Structure formats: C-alpha cells, structure tokens
C-alpha cells in the first residue's frame, strides 16, 4: 500500500473510478474529486518504474490518467491538491503531470530503440545468418506449405514478404537495446522488450514469424495469383 494518503477531513469525499489496467488487467484508479488527486495504484510508483502485463493497455492507462490530471489542473483554484498522485508503492507524487509525461516518454524512447534495432539489422554473423534464413523462408515453397499445414499464414513465411529489414529474435533485440546490462537484469529487460514487440505487433508496426520465433518491421505483402 502507499506510504502516503490524503489528509483527513470532516467533510464528505467523493471518488470516481476509471479503468486503468496494469496488473491485473481489471485494476482501476480512483479520482478523489475533493482534492483533484488520483489514486494511481501500481500504474505509477513513488520511485522508479513499474511492471505491467500488457504494454498496449498500460500506455492507454497512462494517457487516460494524464488527461484526467490536465482536467484537474484546470480546476486548480477549486482543488486542494490538483494533479497529485497517490502511488501504489512509495511516496505520493506532487506533480502528477510531470511524472506521467516522464513515464510515457520513457516507454516511447524504448519503443523507438526496438524499432531502430529491427530497422538497421545491425547484428552479428550468427544473427545475420538466422535473419537470412527467415527471409529465405519467405519465398521457399516448402516453408509456405508447412505454414499452411500448421494452420494459416505466418509472418515471415508468406509469399511476397521482403528481406529489407532484419529478422531477429526477442533475445537478439534485447542484447542490442541493452548492450551493457548486467546479466542478472537481462531477463527482466527481455520481458520489457517482448512487451514492446507485442504492442507493436498489435498496432501493425512489426510482424512475427511464429514458425521461426523472429520479429521484423511490418512491410507490405504482395500476394501472387493462386
């Protein structure tokens, strides 16, 4: 629970809820309308960043909270603590807007790094060989047939895919995004990268070869006549 809480008052308080999935997905935040503050739960921590299950939903939650903070700040003369965030862990955050903007910018910066790695294809010889194999599978009739038998069209093994961008595993992307990370923290970082890749896939910006377990930037696929 949070180490800080709203000041007590003899007057009645009213809190409205808004769905802000973080962990678990059904979690909510509450707006204490008397103060203009928000109970942020695990969406925001007093120190550092938080863990989440679904980055797509989490980013939408941060944007929703930021919109609410803007609304409360506009009414600052009527509120005691407009924009304050009562966090799930650690001290409360007085400038909620700055904190939420920092959280969003941090995730967007990491997302940009993931896209840059996939776009440049700057990998070692082993990675390049694997990427070449993934691209080669795109025009290999046997691979296409295998994908169809497996139950549908798999990204990276469909006729018309291109080799313009790299095909990398999530582990390879993690090594490029976090080149100097201590090994003990690597798998936590890998989890973050996977969350970014899944968000980008949901947005249609990257594609995944489920057959080969590799990722690439999303490119137009031109199908030949059957």
């Amino acid at each position: 629970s949070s180490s800080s809480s709203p000041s007590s008052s003899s007057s009645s308080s009213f809190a409205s809820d808004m769905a802000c999935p973080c962990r678990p997905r059904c979690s909510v935040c509450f707006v204490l309308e008397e103060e203009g503050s928000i109970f942020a739960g695990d969406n925001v921590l007093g120190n550092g960043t938080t863990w989440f299950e679904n980055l797509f939903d989490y980013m939408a939650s941060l944007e929703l909270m930021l919109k609410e903070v803007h609304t409360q700040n506009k009414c600052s003369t009527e509120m005691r603590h407009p924009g304050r965030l009562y966090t799930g862990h650690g001290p409360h955050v007085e400038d909620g807007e700055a904190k939420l903007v920092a959280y969003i910018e941090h995730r967007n910066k990491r997302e940009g790094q993931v896209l840059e790695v996939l776009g440049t294809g700057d990998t070692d010889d082993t990675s390049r060989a694997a990427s070449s194999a993934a691209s080669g599978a795109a025009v290999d009739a046997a691979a296409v047939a295998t994908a169809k038998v497996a139950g549908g069209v798999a990204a990276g093994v469909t006729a018309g895919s291109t080799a313009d961008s790299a095909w990398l595993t999530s582990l390879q992307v993690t090594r490029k995004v976090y080149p100097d990370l201590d090994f003990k923290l690597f798998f936590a970082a890998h989890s973050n990268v996977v969350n970014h890749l899944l968000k980008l896939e949901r947005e249609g910006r990257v594609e995944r070869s489920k057959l080969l377990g590799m990722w690439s930037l999303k490119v137009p696929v031109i199908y030949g006549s059957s």
Side-chain angles (χ1 to χ4, degrees):
S1 61
S2 174
S3 62
S4 56
S5 59
S7 55
S8 59
S9 173
S10 57
S11 61
S12 60
S13 301
F14 180 76
S16 58
D17 67 296
M18 53 182 175
C20 291
C22 177
R23 54 173 199 198
R25 293 172 184 163
C26 60
S27 61
V28 296
C29 292
F30 292 92
V31 180
L32 185 59
E33 297 184 354
E34 175 187 305
E35 289 191 1
S37 54
I38 298 176
F39 289 92
D42 285 337
N43 286 279
V44 178
L45 302 184
N47 297 297
T49 56
T50 190
W51 176 86
F52 43 82
E53 291 183 351
N54 184 307
L55 181 57
F56 184 92
D57 290 342
Y58 177 56
M59 292 298 287
S61 295
L62 293 179
E63 293 287 355
L64 180 61
M65 293 171 66
L66 182 59
K67 181 179 179 180
E68 181 62 36
V69 166
H70 283 157
T71 299
Q72 299 300 335
N73 283 339
K74 288 180 181 179
C75 305
S76 58
T77 57
E78 305 171 20
M79 307 294 181
R80 289 189 300 183
H81 301 297
R84 174 185 284 184
L85 302 179
Y86 293 107
T87 64
H89 303 275
H92 71 259
V93 176
E94 203 64 49
D95 189 346
E97 181 173 354
K99 185 73 167 183
L100 290 166
V101 168
Y103 265 41
I104 292 169
E105 288 181 347
H106 172 73
R107 295 300 168 192
N108 286 340
K109 178 181 178 181
R110 191 70 70 212
E111 180 177 284
Q113 292 172 322
V114 170
L115 290 169
E116 182 179 5
V117 168
L118 291 174
T120 60
D122 183 17
T123 59
D124 55 27
D125 291 340
T126 302
S127 300
R128 279 194 291 270
S131 179
S132 176
S135 300
V139 294
D140 186 283
V144 173
T146 301
K148 289 181 178 179
V149 171
V153 178
V157 291
T158 52
S161 292
T162 179
D164 290 345
S165 60
W167 283 93
L168 302 173
T169 67
S170 56
L171 290 171
Q172 291 167 346
V173 175
T174 305
R175 283 199 294 268
K176 300 301 293 185
V177 172
Y178 299 91
D180 303 314
L181 189 67
D182 188 291
F183 179 76
K184 290 181 291 186
L185 303 175
F186 181 83
F187 289 100
H190 175 250
S191 178
N192 279 336
V193 168
V194 169
N195 267 305
H196 276 285
L197 289 168
L198 290 172
K199 173 181 177 289
L200 291 166
E201 182 184 38
R202 183 170 173 178
E203 295 170 342
R205 300 165 67 188
V206 303
E207 56 184 340
R208 174 175 28 161
S209 169
K210 295 180 181 179
L211 190 67
L212 299 169
M214 304 183 85
W215 299 81
S216 180
L217 294 180
K218 183 75 172 182
V219 294
V221 176
I222 302 174
Y223 295 93
S225 58
S226 56

